[in-house]
Amino acid sequence: MTDKIKVDYSELERLFADKERVSVKQELQVDQKKTLMKRLSSSNEVTLLDPKKSMNVNIFLKQFRKSIEVIIDLLRAGDPRAFGVEKLKGLSKVLPQTDEIELIQHYDGSIGKLGEAEKFYHYLIQLPNFQFRIEAMILKGDFNAQLGAIRPNFQVLHTLCRRLFDNHSLKTFLRYVLHTGNFLNKGSGSGNALGIRISSLEKLMNTKSTTSKRTLLHYLVETAEDKDPDALAFVDTLLEPLQKASRFTMEGITVEFNQLRKLVHRLKRQCDHVEDDVKSQFTEFLEEADADLEETQDVIERIRKQATRLAQHFCENEKTFNLDEFLSTFRQFCEKVKACQQELETQRQKEETEEKRRKAQEDKVDRRKVCFNPSTKTEDRKIVDNIVDEIRRGKVLRRLSLRKKNNVTGGVGNGC
């Protein structure tokens, strides 16, 4: 049967179709066209990469203001100074992925029509071992800075551990603390201790005197300085390196070191399977880097042995001993001792100032007493009375006339 009335499907779809479905359908059609057709720019450049990836690659290329061929030649030369480490790190973030490499390799059109990003990838993937080159260049340019930031911290810890173990003034002061603690705790379970746990040093600041606001640590610092001027020398010796050590942790810098070491070892293994020209560029550097890392590893091993000795020396549990916590506690202890020294010195200066003021006040009072002494006033009155009496009798006038005569006679004699 023939339909006499034909359905206008286009009109129905326009008037009554679900707009969302139509929109989705149109988007799918557009996506299919983009997939099937190579996107052409206004300048007829062929763009194969994702727009965002293409933009990032182009941003990287514009930093150099050099042609793509020159950039590839610099990568082939393998000198990180030609780029700088930061730019090489930026390049490593926009390197082509496997699917992008395949996309560029399967392109059979004119290279001249490719966009800048695609063209750069085209020449880059033709450079043998390009990923290894870039990674090795980054390491070569940044290795000394990375190791230079880690190694001094290990040296600080190594020196600090040795000073803690060998410091005689520290031993003297801790023995004094031990004897004082045994006396104060006499009769209790902890009154006959043979040693001190470092964590218990915090209690010295928390133990208050019953007669003043001072703490037990203030008392120990003051009496130790009075009895032995060198008893607190450990503070000046240890405080500075302890404060330096507080800026990092042994665990943290060891993790950084191990990451750097793994990278060097991995590139050394890969270097055995690269082109000869690439191998010649990086073999010597990787050997030297490995030797530097081995020297630092020796320092780490010495620090670990020193940490074990410190645990034994200070009666700590070797299994649970944590060097970072131990050094942190010691730093706080030294800072508190230093603070006590400063507070006691301030107190001494204050007392000296008050003593000078008191003496000055006493001297002033004594002078006032002398000025208002009744016996002094009586003697002064007698002197005045004698002068007045002599004036009345004429004795003073006769003395003056005799002096004038003598002066005249002396003057005439000198004239002759």
Side-chain angles (χ1 to χ4, degrees), residues 200-219:
S200 65
L201 293 175
E202 297 179 6
K203 297 178 182 179
L204 298 177
M205 280 296 289
N206 299 328
T207 305
K208 304 289 185 180
S209 171
T210 57
T211 58
S212 65
K213 296 181 180 180
R214 297 199 307 173
T215 65
L216 177 58
L217 185 59
H218 284 90
Y219 169 81

Side-chain angles (χ1 to χ4, degrees), residues 320-337:
T320 60
F321 182 77
N322 185 294
L323 182 61
D324 294 324
E325 294 177 0
F326 177 81
L327 296 178
S328 177
T329 301
F330 243 115
R331 175 183 56 81
Q332 295 173 15
F333 172 66
C334 288
E335 288 174 344
K336 289 176 181 179
V337 171

Side-chain angles (χ1 to χ4, degrees), residues 53 92-102 121 131:
K53 184 66 172 285
S92 68
K93 295 177 182 178
V94 296
L95 289 178
Q97 303 299 315
T98 304
D99 57 336
E100 293 168 335
I101 293 175
E102 293 177 355
Y121 276 2
Q131 290 178 321

Side-chain angles (χ1 to χ4, degrees), residues 158-171 234 237-238 306 309-310 313-314:
H158 181 256
T159 302
L160 190 51
C161 290
R162 189 175 64 251
R163 288 183 182 180
L164 282 167
F165 189 81
D166 296 334
N167 196 289
H168 295 292
S169 68
L170 177 61
K171 295 176 183 179
F234 70 90
T237 304
L238 299 175
Q306 286 175 324
R309 289 183 63 199
L310 284 174
H313 183 71
F314 287 96

Side-chain angles (χ1 to χ4, degrees), residues 255-302:
V255 169
E256 291 181 33
F257 172 79
N258 288 334
Q259 290 174 347
L260 183 60
R261 193 182 185 196
K262 287 178 181 178
L263 177 58
V264 171
H265 288 174
R266 178 169 63 80
L267 291 179
K268 275 190 70 178
R269 290 193 300 271
Q270 292 178 1
C271 194
D272 294 333
H273 307 287
V274 298
E275 300 289 330
D276 290 340
D277 64 322
V278 182
K279 188 181 298 184
S280 64
Q281 290 174 349
F282 298 105
T283 298
E284 183 179 355
F285 156 70
L286 290 172
E287 292 292 340
E288 292 176 355
D290 192 36
D292 289 339
L293 291 171
E294 288 302 318
E295 290 180 4
T296 306
Q297 182 64 38
D298 291 340
V299 176
I300 295 173
E301 293 302 324
R302 287 198 295 271

